[in-house]
Amino acid sequence: MPIYKAYVLLALTTLFWAGNSIAGKWAVGHASPMVLVSIRWISLMALLYVFKREQIAGDWPAIRPRLGYLLMLGVLGFTVFSAALYYALVYTTAINASILQGSMPLFVFAASFVLFSSRISWAQAVGFACSFIGVIVIAVRGELGNLVSLSINFGDALMFIAVLGYGIYTAGLRSKPQMHWTSLMFILCLGGSLASLPLLAFEVAQGNFIFPDLQGWMVITYIVIFPSLIGQVLYIWAVELIGANRAGQFINLLPVWGALLAVTLIGEEFHLYHAVALVMILSGIGFAEYGGRRLRKTI
């Protein structure tokens, strides 16, 4: 029963995370990207402090020596990823954004290799190459001529930055100090919030600031409650039931949920190149996971 409960929790988690792209698309014209980012992480930080401040205070001795490192992780994983995602959705489709997010596990693998010299197998290398080709297919919209002429959608290029930033952030979490997850989330939100404010000021200075209207506030409410808070809690609960490695594979559902939601809720068109990219990315993750299991058996 715990296994099946974990499956349900992870399916809901990835559904909420996929909904973040749909919500970001609905926010276009109703709330500017940096408004979404700033309110998202400041709100979550405030909620965590109100309800878990004693836990955070208890973990402060572990946090203080690595405070700068943890704040930087928050900048990468929260501000860079969210800002790039919400700005990308101004220029690209929610389908593209969702499928490109499906390549996250491979960018985590690549960042771990570059930053920590993690061992890799031939299957993991093949998997990364396969998924990267899928990313390129999305970026050039299935047209080889766009690759030759370097005609790439600006939004898809921003999604590449978002996924790269999140990959470095996730790989960097392996060096975090031991603490309760709520304390970690609070410090990461603090880093994300502090970094978002100068970007919000720049958005205002450029004349791109959009104060949320009713639809904008509805989107913000969804983003704060479901992908940011409930999704994180459900994911941690599932990890406790079946372990991080098995739970992490369920991120593969994110592009599937994202494509389904984009087609059904906002009427985007699903093209053949989307299917090709999705198959390439998921196959690459499968190769990498197979290679990772074989590699762990030899260590």
Side-chain angles (χ1 to χ4, degrees):
M1 289 303 297
I3 293 177
Y4 294 115
K5 183 187 291 186
Y7 291 166
V8 172
L9 295 175
L10 289 165
L12 287 173
T13 298
T14 51
L15 175 61
F16 294 154
W17 287 348
N20 188 35
S21 295
I22 308 302
K25 197 66 178 176
W26 272 335
V28 175
H30 299 276
S32 53
M34 288 314 304
V35 169
L36 295 180
V37 176
S38 297
I39 295 179
R40 177 182 187 180
W41 300 123
I42 291 174
S43 299
L44 185 54
M45 179 181 65
L47 286 171
L48 289 169
Y49 182 77
V50 168
F51 293 104
K52 290 291 185 178
R53 56 182 177 274
E54 292 182 0
Q55 178 67 60
I56 295 166
D59 284 329
W60 180 247
I63 294 170
R64 184 169 52 194
R66 305 296 304 281
L67 180 61
Y69 181 79
L70 293 171
L71 291 176
M72 183 55 63
L73 288 182
V75 172
L76 283 172
F78 289 8
T79 307
V80 172
F81 174 77
S82 298
L85 169 64
Y86 294 139
Y87 266 109
L89 289 165
V90 176
Y91 303 98
T92 192
T93 65
I95 292 179
N96 281 25
S98 298
I99 293 177
L100 288 172
Q101 285 181 75
S103 64
M104 280 183 192
L106 275 300
F107 280 88
V108 173
F109 150 74
S112 297
F113 173 72
V114 172
L115 298 177
F116 300 103
S117 301
S118 300
R119 290 180 58 189
I120 62 171
S121 68
W122 66 269
Q124 286 176 306
V126 170
F128 179 80
C130 187
S131 286
F132 190 74
I133 291 171
V135 171
I136 297 299
V137 169
I138 286 287
V140 301
R141 302 179 296 283
E143 296 289 339
L144 183 61
N146 289 332
L147 179 61
V148 175
S149 63
L150 294 180
S151 176
I152 297 175
N153 182 286
F154 181 61
D156 295 335
L158 286 175
M159 278 307 305
F160 181 84
I161 294 173
V163 173
L164 180 61
Y166 203 82
I168 297 172
Y169 151 77
T170 306
L173 284 176
R174 67 186 295 175
S175 295
K176 67 176 179 61
Q178 290 296 317
M179 69 183 78
H180 194 268
W181 71 267
T182 53
S183 301
L184 175 63
M185 281 294 295
F186 174 80
I187 294 300
L188 295 175
C189 286
L190 176 60
S193 299
L194 292 174
S196 73
L197 294 178
L199 296 177
L200 177 61
F202 181 76
E203 187 177 75
V204 172
Q206 293 296 305
N208 296 323
F209 174 83
I210 301 176
F211 187 81
D213 57 14
L214 177 59
Q215 182 169 326
W217 282 116
M218 291 175 65
V219 167
I220 289 170
T221 300
Y222 170 83
I223 289 173
V224 172
I225 293 175
F226 289 94
S228 305
L229 183 58
I230 297 179
Q232 186 67 33
V233 172
L234 294 183
Y235 184 74
I236 291 169
W237 188 6
V239 168
E240 291 176 352
L241 291 173
I242 63 173
N245 289 335
R246 293 169 67 187
Q249 292 306 305
F250 275 76
I251 202 172
N252 299 352
L253 286 176
L254 196 153
V256 178
W257 281 128
L260 289 173
L261 292 175
V263 171
T264 57
L265 295 182
I266 56 181
E268 291 186 354
E269 188 174 352
F270 192 83
H271 297 283
L272 178 61
Y273 73 83
H274 287 130
V276 172
L278 188 58
V279 170
M280 293 293 289
I281 289 172
L282 295 181
S283 298
I285 293 171
F287 267 114
E289 174 60 15
Y290 169 78
R293 288 198 303 267
R294 291 290 299 273
L295 188 61
R296 285 192 290 272
K297 289 179 181 178
T298 63
I299 296 176

